[in-house]
Amino acid sequence: MIIVHTRKCPANQDTSEAGRNMEPIYATGMAAKLRSQWDRDAGLGQNHNAVKFLGQDYESLRAQCQRAGTLFEDPLFPACSSSVGFNELGPRSSKTQGLRWKRPTEICMRPRFIVDGATRTDICQGALGDCWLLAAIASLTLNDTLLHRVVPHGQDFDGSYAGIFHFQFWQFGEWLDVVIDDRLPVKDGKLLFVHSAEGGEFWSALLEKAYAKLNGCYEALSGGSTSEGFEDFTGGVTEMYELNKAPADLFSIIGRAVERGSLLGCSIDITSKFDMEAVTFKKLVKGHAYSVTGVEEVVYRGNMTKLVRIRNPWGEVEWTGAWSDNSREWDNVDHSVRGRLQNRSEDGEFWMSFSDFLREFSRLEICNLTPDALQAGQVKKWSTSLYQGEWRRGSTAGGCRNFPATFWINPQFKVALKHPDSPGQSDCSFLVALMQKDRRKKRREGKDMETIGFAIYEVPNEYLGRSAVHLKRDFFLSHASSARSELFINLREVSSRFRLPAGEYIIVPSTFEPNKEGDFVLRVFSEKPANSEEMDDKVTADIPEEQHLQESQIDAGFKSLFRQLAGPDMEISVTELQTILNRIISKHKDLKTDGFGKESCRSMINLMDADGSGKLGLTEFHVLWEKIKRYLQIFRDHDLDKSGTMSSYEMRRALEAAGFKLNNHLFQLIILRYTEQDLSVDFDNFVTCLVRLETMFKTFKTMDTDADGVVSLTFFEWISLTMFA
């Protein structure tokens, strides 16, 4: 049995002309997306049940190689120039001249995967500008639990070796298991990219290769932010603070982040390339990624002093200023506190005062972990929500608030803040992060990040507690935002922390300009539980009651016209209906149309044909005629610029006027199917769309006999319905 019912799911749509003319293929793609969404609803994509990237299964591929006595060669990321790069690392680049691909067993006598645990010295940068990624990998080495979510146990060059390895990365809401072979780019006998200091340890080089495969090639990894790596290794969400304008409660924010097991990184800006890894007078390294590992308040000379504990992943080179390992400040601290905190070893970890921290460092990044990444006994956990979304030309890509005519069509999400941070307060803390998807992969096509951001609005009283509402243009014209992202910027992710009074709020994510297409993930992290959901119109049809007249009640003039049009059999066929409608529509010079096609006319007859003859009698044709007259009036009322066509934005409001409320997903399908190349809708497509909608609503209502929103069909019934409805 096939169960048909309404589900919400994301859809990547082809809006090209070719895409509009390939409905069967598109329908198959939609079915695959629905299937995929159902699998994810069942738990696929969590770290313990990762999605197999490109369908490759590590265990089965390794078993095949072991049975055949061969080493794995990855056909989906081959050892060739396209896997290395396309521009600076392209086949004609001097950096790749003489490049060869070798396995670790061909590079050294006794290769190892990991020796004595993963450490910072395993991560030495090569000829690729991915220091941002390496800093994130280095932070991973400080937390074995997080590291082994990315680098699964049980991999090495021992007896089970088959030239195949796998790693797991978080990508836009789900974990992916990425399989690679161990052929690595080598030049002049040395690894071209990441390598270990000793040369015989290969986990970091193989991890980098898997991440390159995930993003299309090695060159796609050039340039980025440590926070991007943090997130792809943990599934967390990162917020960034410029320390020269730190918020007043930053020390408290850091403390709560440490309690939650968040990853914290800090760095000192460089002013020129000569500053990179230059050591300051007090032994801090510029342009270098540090980790923040703790905060404390101690009594010092009768006053409370805030301290921050910092680790240099190098394992050496420590701060020599106040509160460093051997500084005199410790002499004035209670003996028991000093014994608990002071560390005199040269291990790269040190304390400094919070005021020195703000003065010496430039930037702090906090990667807040999702509950699934934290240890089972962790008490302090974020409340999290994640939504997949998309911006599509003509339907959901409305641009920012500078474009009031279209801003309202962007996807909308509601968050209900019910629990203030502290008793007696009204404010609730939460963090919003908007991430655009798959942009690194598009670099090869000359595309890069879109400029993105979001705005937050308080829900008006009349919509409190309601979810099936997509706020329209008039609301945004008359209401100011309560908060917004600090900038619209072309980064992978824009995130901001907010404190707002308890209540309900709408988040509207957008690109800066309208009609910029892309897929996105919106995440909301709140310190106390908060309900959130996508705001979208409930799919409904309020179709006016049709007036079915007896033949004796129909106007004589209309009967005469019908006799002329219908011919001797007194019924109108598909061909006759096509001739009639095109003759009539040609007289309306204010309407632009390509004319009604046979398929459109067949849909109209299917809708009105009560006796199943495939033709329309007098009374059936009269009902259709009145319907088309009503559609014509709606079309003219909503063609605001009197262009003779309807824009996709006018179309959405016209559909509502005709009685159909559709959610974003269905409206995207309609724009895909019924608009021209310039996203305009002419009159014949407008009528065809309404007829098809009415047919599908009526068909479902007829079959849903118990009105529970679910219809059970056999395969024969399903294919009969979809082929001939």
Side-chain angles (χ1 to χ4, degrees), residues 181-354:
D181 64 36
D182 63 346
R183 296 176 294 176
L184 297 168
V186 171
K187 185 175 180 181
D188 300 326
K190 298 179 180 179
L191 288 176
L192 183 60
F193 302 127
V194 166
H195 53 279
S196 66
E198 295 79 11
E201 199 169 356
F202 289 92
W203 73 269
S204 59
L206 294 168
L207 172 61
E208 183 189 44
K209 179 175 181 178
Y211 199 65
K213 177 179 177 178
L214 182 67
N215 286 282
C217 65
Y218 278 96
E219 188 171 351
L221 306 184
S222 183
S225 163
T226 301
S227 61
E228 190 173 336
F230 275 165
E231 294 182 346
D232 287 353
F233 296 152
T234 66
V237 62
T238 301
E239 51 186 324
M240 195 175 299
Y241 295 94
E242 299 296 330
L243 297 180
N244 61 355
K245 48 181 180 181
D249 60 344
L250 182 61
F251 186 79
S252 174
I253 290 171
I254 295 173
R256 293 200 299 273
V258 170
E259 279 186 325
R260 291 186 180 87
S262 303
L263 298 183
L264 292 88
C266 58
S267 59
I268 303 171
D269 284 347
I270 60 173
T271 54
S272 73
K273 64 179 181 180
F274 303 107
D275 267 355
M276 194 62 183
E277 298 203 340
V279 181
T280 68
F281 174 68
K282 292 185 179 179
K283 296 293 182 72
L284 294 176
V285 185
K286 294 185 177 181
H288 180 58
Y290 287 82
S291 301
V292 177
T293 60
V295 292
E296 284 282 346
E297 283 194 85
V298 300
V299 179
Y300 174 67
R301 292 181 175 175
N303 296 312
M304 296 301 294
T305 298
K306 294 180 172 69
L307 302 180
V308 182
R309 188 175 65 203
I310 296 171
R311 178 184 169 114
N312 180 348
W314 285 356
E316 53 187 21
V317 187
E318 295 186 10
W319 162 253
T320 59
W323 297 100
S324 59
D325 286 0
N326 297 302
S327 69
R328 293 180 177 178
E329 283 78 12
W330 292 107
D331 296 338
N332 293 287
V333 173
D334 180 84
H335 178 75
S336 63
V337 174
R338 184 168 71 243
R340 180 168 58 88
L341 302 181
Q342 191 179 18
N343 179 6
R344 295 180 180 275
S345 62
E346 184 74 6
D347 59 358
E349 193 162 66
F350 55 88
W351 290 94
M352 64 191 307
S353 71
F354 184 60

Side-chain angles (χ1 to χ4, degrees), residues 659-706:
F660 299 101
K661 275 200 170 185
L662 306 179
N663 61 20
N664 285 338
H665 175 62
L666 290 178
F667 188 64
Q668 286 172 19
L669 296 181
I670 283 174
I671 294 303
L672 177 73
R673 174 63 182 83
Y674 293 102
T675 59
E676 302 297 328
Q677 191 77 23
D678 62 356
L679 298 180
S680 65
V681 182
D682 58 17
F683 182 65
D684 59 284
N685 274 330
F686 178 70
V687 171
T688 304
C689 173
L690 290 177
V691 167
R692 291 282 292 173
L693 277 173
E694 187 170 336
T695 301
M696 298 311 294
F697 271 99
K698 285 185 173 179
T699 301
F700 189 90
K701 188 174 182 180
T702 299
M703 302 182 77
D704 184 16
T705 53
D706 56 0

